[in-house]
Amino acid sequence: MTTVSTTAAPPWRHRALAAALLLALLAAWEWTARHAGLSALVLPAPSAVAAALWTGMRSGYFLPHLGATLHALGLGLAGGGVAGLLTGAALAESPLLERVLRPYVVVSQVVPKLALAPLFVLWFGFGTASTALITGLICFFPLMENTLTGLRQADPQRLQLFRMLGATRWQTLLRLKLPIALPTVLAGLRMAVVLALVGAVVGEFIGASQGLGAVIIASQGMMDTSLMFAALVLIAAIGLLLYQATLLIERWLLRAHAGTD
């Protein structure tokens, strides 16, 4: 009888495989762009994209656009995140509020945000305010839904024990429900961070003259596909960095919480 080894591969091997896959994809892309007879307007080679990215960073062209995107993203994520957390906690603590407000919350989320963008531009003008509002609306729902779900995962026997010990609703929320809900809430935060970047870029497509979304629209008008890909590379880099930062915060909070148990 053969035995199957269950020893996990070391992390460096996974990273090496991922890096090799990336290099292979870039090499295939470069070869296709150079030898398949495609115009650079349709598919620029990675080397051309890298040159556009380097030129834009070196000349300072991308810096104000990076700042504008990060500013709108930060405002929208903070506003939408706090609103999502508070609304989720309120709905979890009050069945009456949930029955009254939840249909309105759901309706507000099923309407495509892209369709609301022209209205926001009409009400708040072009610029950061409209973009941050779209971003906040997009990242609100994951945090609200995950907070609501997480706060309802408390063990009924533990809830009964807290009632017998005379704990107030606030004490029960802080010392029992919130620690149990923490992994679910943090999973919602991960989703919100990724969606916030999508919201910021989509908002800039319509209502901004600065930002990486505005760069993409401008490069489309100039038929500069390399610049468009360079902006997409920056957006992907921001998304990856934010996601990794969220993972680090999640590990730190869960480890700190486990240490206090």
Side-chain angles (χ1 to χ4, degrees):
M1 182 177 175
T2 59
T3 58
V4 178
S5 173
T6 57
T7 304
W12 65 265
R13 187 174 295 176
H14 298 157
R15 295 193 186 98
L17 284 172
L21 177 61
L22 176 63
L23 290 175
L25 289 174
L26 287 175
W29 179 3
E30 183 80 26
W31 188 92
T32 304
R34 288 176 181 270
H35 299 95
L38 295 173
S39 166
L41 293 176
V42 177
L43 184 68
S47 55
V49 175
L53 182 60
W54 171 251
T55 303
M57 294 300 291
R58 190 179 175 188
S59 65
Y61 171 75
F62 280 125
L63 291 182
H65 296 293
L66 270 172
T69 298
L70 290 175
H71 185 212
L73 188 150
L75 287 177
L77 183 59
V82 171
L85 280 172
L86 294 179
T87 306
L91 298 188
E93 288 297 301
S94 172
L96 175 62
L97 270 182
E98 185 190 3
R99 282 194 291 271
V100 173
L101 294 181
R102 193 161 189 180
Y104 295 99
V105 173
V106 173
V107 167
S108 73
Q109 294 304 309
V110 296
V111 176
K113 305 303 173 294
L114 198 59
L116 294 175
L119 274 179
F120 289 158
V121 172
L122 185 65
W123 292 338
F124 303 104
F126 291 96
T128 305
S130 300
T131 307
L133 271 172
I134 295 170
T135 305
L137 272 178
I138 286 180
C139 64
F140 164 82
F141 193 69
L143 269 169
M144 188 221 74
E145 191 68 28
N146 278 38
T147 303
L148 176 60
T149 303
L151 289 177
R152 290 187 168 166
Q153 289 177 341
D155 184 1
Q157 292 184 346
R158 289 190 177 187
L159 284 172
Q160 184 65 28
L161 177 62
F162 268 63
R163 289 193 196 99
M164 291 172 61
L165 293 174
T168 63
R169 174 176 283 192
W170 183 247
Q171 288 172 327
T172 305
L173 175 65
L174 287 184
R175 299 189 177 184
L176 177 63
K177 293 182 179 178
L178 203 53
I180 291 173
L182 195 56
T184 309
V185 174
L186 291 171
L189 178 62
R190 262 186 280 131
M191 293 170 57
V193 164
V194 175
L195 291 175
L197 182 58
V198 175
V201 174
V202 168
E204 289 167 352
F205 280 166
I206 296 174
S209 57
Q210 276 199 330
L212 295 174
V215 170
I216 291 175
I217 296 298
S219 60
Q220 182 190 26
M222 295 184 294
M223 301 294 285
D224 191 342
T225 316
S226 297
L227 181 61
M228 189 184 298
F229 271 94
L232 290 172
V233 169
L234 288 176
I235 291 170
I238 293 172
L240 284 174
L241 288 175
L242 287 175
Y243 188 77
Q244 288 300 322
T246 311
L247 284 179
L248 290 176
I249 292 171
E250 182 176 341
R251 285 175 194 155
W252 178 72
L253 283 176
L254 292 179
R255 192 178 298 127
H257 168 61
T260 58
D261 287 343

